[in-house]
Amino acid sequence: MTDPDPTAETAHECLGVPPDASHEEVKLAAAHAKSQFNPDHHPEPEKRAVRDRFHAVRAAEEALLSDGEFPPPRLRLDRETGDDADDGDNEADGPDDEADDTDDERPTLSVLPRSETVVVGEPVVVEVREATGDRLDHGEVVVGDAAASVAHGRATVTVTEPGSKTVVARADGRVARTTVTVVPETVALCLDCSATRVAVGDSLEVAVRRQSDGGLVRGATVHTDRGETHDATHGTVTLGPTRPGELRVTATDDASDRSYEPATTVVTVEPAGDALSVEAPATVRPDTSFGVIVRDTAGRPVEAARVAVRRGEESLVADTTDGAGRTRLSVPVPGSYTLRATASEPGVDPAERTLTVAPERTTLALSVVDRPTARKPVGRVVVRDEWGRPVAGATVTAAGEETATDDRGRAAIRLPPGEHVVTARKAGGFESGELRVTVDRERSS
């Protein structure tokens, strides 16, 4: 900006602002120029000349802010004729000039603060003066739907709606106008988080506050960069981060009666732990649903962990845990399996445990696969379950001797000639089975 020049031919030069100046820059320059050429700030011999400059500055401001004309017709005429609009001693004044002098006695308005911008709900203080600078003790000031009487040269009006408002002063049948810009209240928000670092699954309390006094802002909206949106109806929300990394939290408010500056903060979400644990029954029944809980080393539930029932490298059934770290599975086929839990994020050790799927009771069945004879007394039997699968580790008793079945469910037995009862038993939900075998010199049955 340059120094204002009230004698310039353009509004921008009059205020000393560039052609691309914003409204705020125009208002600031006009406030500075009006303060510089305020008649109250100059001695009496200079007041008339300074008053002309004051009127020029105000006309330039109105031209730039409201698309008005500059210089206005009267100011243009005064410049062309060289007349002093406020010089009442000019002997050449004719009837038209007298009318101009009369018009010059209109109240002159000055709006405080000098920026001519106030916040919704704050008072607009209007000073009403005569052209001579004397304060009026009567009259009325109207701003929109609000009005106030003039006393001691001032009127105070409170405006409750934002926008550009016309200020009208009336006194003794005379009217003067100016404008004031009423802006929404600007409130800077801030976020008050219960922690700057949390673990996956932990609760994060977020309070939305006014930066000025720390009071809670009710009705704000809290967003995260993970697509979550929460209404802070009472000024607070609770977040539950489900995966590690940086979590960006932003608070906004779109209230119509004020302007809010949003606030953003970043919270670091750490992995829930460096290892998992899996909880499940040791033995379950076939085709029966059973519950599984996955936790971290701190005992907190782990969401989105993969839980699989495996036999070797093969996964028979699998599912992922919910927000409480839980899931349910069922296995149709009896047997011994590995239950394995794996976290969704890297760097966390999985957890495993043994799972036995067995019916309530299984009756063992025996059959001879290599019959003993008198000449060859050692034979072999096989032990199977109800589904015909070999049973390893079963105890086979025959002729007072015991032996155990191998991985194929087979066991060697020694039987002398005669009739014998061969039995098989195994703990863990198995009913004993038996087989009658007759050994003679000719054949065995």
Side-chain angles (χ1 to χ4, degrees), residues 104-128:
D104 224 10
E105 294 299 319
R106 296 178 304 175
T108 301
L109 301 183
S110 176
V111 180
L112 299 178
R114 289 178 177 173
S115 66
E116 298 186 357
T117 300
V118 295
V119 176
V120 167
E122 291 186 356
V124 179
V125 181
V126 181
E127 290 189 357
V128 184

Side-chain angles (χ1 to χ4, degrees), residues 206 208 216-222 230-237 253:
V206 179
V208 184
L216 288 173
V217 178
R218 301 176 183 274
T221 303
V222 176
H230 304 270
D231 293 328
T233 307
H234 301 291
T236 61
V237 297
D253 197 311

Side-chain angles (χ1 to χ4, degrees), residues 319-341:
D319 200 359
T320 56
T321 56
D322 58 18
R326 298 174 180 269
T327 187
R328 297 192 70 84
L329 302 172
S330 66
V331 183
V333 181
S336 181
Y337 301 93
T338 298
L339 188 63
R340 181 182 177 89

Side-chain angles (χ1 to χ4, degrees), residues 273-349:
D274 56 5
L276 300 180
S277 65
V278 57
E279 302 173 13
T283 303
V284 297
R285 305 301 174 201
D287 288 320
T288 302
S289 175
F290 61 94
V292 179
I293 303 176
V294 179
R295 302 182 187 275
D296 61 18
T297 51
R300 295 170 296 210
V302 178
E303 182 180 2
R306 184 177 186 272
V307 181
V309 177
R310 299 161 61 94
R311 175 180 286 163
E313 296 300 320
E314 178 188 6
S315 293
L316 300 183
V317 292
D319 200 359
T320 56
T321 56
D322 58 18
R326 298 174 180 269
T327 187
R328 297 192 70 84
L329 302 172
S330 66
V331 183
V333 181
S336 181
Y337 301 93
T338 298
L339 188 63
R340 181 182 177 89
T342 308
S344 59
E345 64 272 6
V348 181
D349 293 338

